[in-house]
Amino acid sequence: MRLLERMRKEWFMIGIVLAIAGAKLEPSIGVNGGPLKPEITVSYIAVATIFFNSGLSLKTEELTSALVHIKLHLFIQIFTLAFFPATIWLFLQLLSITPINEWLLKGLQTVGCMPPPVSSAVILTKAVGGNEGIVITPVLLLLFLGSSSSVPFTSIFSQLFMTVVVPLIIGQIVRRYIKDWLERKKPPFGAISSSVLLMIIYTTFCDTFSNPNIDLDKFSLILILFIIFSIQLSFMLLTFLFSTRNNSGFTPADTVAIIFCSTHKSLTLGIPMLKIVFAGHEHLSLISVPLLIYHPVQILLGSVLVPTIKSWMVSRQKILSSSEHHVVLSYRE
């Protein structure tokens, strides 16, 4: 299963490149008003499909097991949805005086506002971060980038409700009746969401490449890539230091969950969310670029660091187990 999941992620990253290349070659197909009619098929049908799919796959019956990890859950949510965006905002105040493309910088802020991906929450079940993100993420986007949004606040939340919340609830209701069938057949939920997401990415970049006024310089793109690597590594180190300090109350396994869940950002929720919040914005694709970069970077760093982190966790657990054993022996004596 892990091999299949890794292969799916690799193919998805290739798919992102192909979707952007396809939009560059023939942008007229996916522009607003074009043959694909993305103002309907993407803004409503595609986004709703992703969250109906999430509702079907979300095992809310496992949520009770997450209650024993409330402290861990709170740490991840506060770090991800408060500390992360606030820190990025402060950092961007310094970067604003550089020649980096301003819309890419705004895109970095949107990355900070995103919740962790549902699939990253191994310890807290698949539901960690999903529900909070639907409400908090658009609020954070409007708080930090409110002037950039061309859609009224009430319109944003009404569309979020109809295309995100309602399909998610319907998916959960349907799951109740076909749960046994789903467990038996194991439909490819990930592949379905990824395919729909590629369509959203394609149409977003079709709008960009059909607009001659939008230009992306390579210097800004390289700097953004370097900044994203630096942000992820810095925050992973920071969460490690926070969760391993004395009297933190977190186990080594908790620390591993914190490192990944606190620093990972959801592309599946993020792109549809940006599509809704910045509907009709001519720089939407540029705003989306940092999140599109952040996703493969978090997978790459995760793959590289997993062996080291796993080795640390195992050795740390052995030390703690040995210490507890000595305490028990001393008590008996």
Side-chain angles (χ1 to χ4, degrees), residues 1-210:
M1 284 296 288
R2 287 182 180 179
L3 178 61
L4 288 174
E5 181 66 15
R6 189 167 64 187
M7 287 177 64
R8 185 182 70 79
K9 288 179 178 179
E10 289 173 355
W11 277 109
F12 179 62
M13 286 189 281
I14 293 170
I16 291 175
V17 175
L18 292 176
I20 295 172
K24 175 70 173 175
L25 289 172
E26 194 53 64
S28 60
I29 296 175
V31 295
N32 282 340
L36 282 182
K37 299 292 181 186
E39 62 273 18
I40 298 171
T41 56
V42 170
S43 297
Y44 294 95
I45 299 173
V47 175
T49 299
I50 284 177
F51 288 98
F52 174 73
N53 190 52
S54 294
L56 277 179
S57 62
L58 205 61
K59 297 180 180 178
T60 46
E61 59 268 22
E62 295 178 357
L63 281 174
T64 50
S65 64
L67 294 176
V68 297
H69 296 99
I70 286 178
K71 183 179 178 181
L72 177 59
H73 181 78
L74 284 174
F75 181 96
I76 290 170
Q77 297 306 316
I78 291 170
F79 189 95
T80 306
L81 297 171
F83 181 83
F84 202 125
T87 304
I88 294 294
W89 182 82
L90 289 171
F91 183 47
L92 291 181
Q93 303 313 300
L94 296 174
L95 291 179
S96 63
I97 61 174
T98 67
I100 299 175
N101 185 292
E102 65 169 311
W103 297 105
L104 290 179
L105 292 180
K106 289 180 186 296
L108 268 181
Q109 185 65 70
T110 68
V111 169
C113 297
M114 293 300 155
V118 173
S119 59
S120 287
V122 178
I123 299 298
L124 298 175
T125 76
K126 291 173 71 177
V128 168
N131 295 331
E132 292 87 339
I134 291 169
V135 177
I136 296 176
T137 294
V139 171
L140 291 173
L141 289 172
L142 291 167
L143 176 66
F144 290 109
L145 301 165
S147 59
S148 301
S149 177
S150 58
V151 182
F153 187 85
T154 52
S155 176
I156 288 170
F157 274 90
S158 63
Q159 189 173 345
L160 281 171
F161 183 77
M162 293 306 298
T163 59
V164 176
V165 179
V166 171
L168 196 66
I169 292 171
I170 293 173
Q172 280 285 281
I173 293 170
V174 173
R175 179 181 171 79
R176 280 190 182 182
Y177 294 99
I178 62 170
K179 185 173 71 173
D180 292 338
W181 181 85
L182 291 172
E183 294 295 330
R184 192 168 60 253
K185 295 294 184 180
K186 299 189 183 302
F189 293 117
I192 293 169
S193 290
S194 295
S195 300
V196 177
L197 196 57
L198 289 175
M199 178 185 173
I200 297 174
I201 292 168
Y202 168 73
T203 56
T204 299
F205 278 86
C206 280
D207 285 332
T208 298
F209 294 127
S210 64

Side-chain angles (χ1 to χ4, degrees), residues 285-296:
S285 59
L286 294 186
I287 294 171
S288 306
V289 165
L291 185 57
L292 291 172
I293 294 174
Y294 198 95
H295 180 73

Side-chain angles (χ1 to χ4, degrees), residues 269-305:
L269 178 61
I271 293 297
M273 193 78 72
L274 292 179
K275 194 77 175 176
I276 294 170
V277 175
F278 296 98
H281 201 292
E282 65 173 349
H283 292 98
L284 172 60
S285 59
L286 294 186
I287 294 171
S288 306
V289 165
L291 185 57
L292 291 172
I293 294 174
Y294 198 95
H295 180 73
V297 168
Q298 70 188 12
I299 293 172
L300 177 63
L301 284 178
S303 301
V304 170
L305 294 174

Side-chain angles (χ1 to χ4, degrees), residues 189-263:
F189 293 117
I192 293 169
S193 290
S194 295
S195 300
V196 177
L197 196 57
L198 289 175
M199 178 185 173
I200 297 174
I201 292 168
Y202 168 73
T203 56
T204 299
F205 278 86
C206 280
D207 285 332
T208 298
F209 294 127
S210 64
N211 188 339
N213 298 321
I214 295 178
D215 182 42
L216 176 60
D217 62 288
K218 293 178 181 177
F219 173 73
S220 292
L221 202 57
I222 292 169
L223 280 179
I224 288 293
L225 180 62
F226 173 75
I227 289 167
I228 285 173
F229 263 101
S230 301
I231 287 172
Q232 284 207 41
L233 283 172
S234 300
F235 279 1
M236 289 177 88
L237 176 60
L238 195 60
T239 52
F240 176 79
L241 294 174
F242 274 152
S243 59
T244 55
R245 72 188 192 282
N246 291 334
N247 302 318
S248 69
F250 293 121
T251 66
D254 290 340
T255 296
V256 173
I258 286 169
I259 289 171
F260 289 115
C261 293
S262 299
T263 58

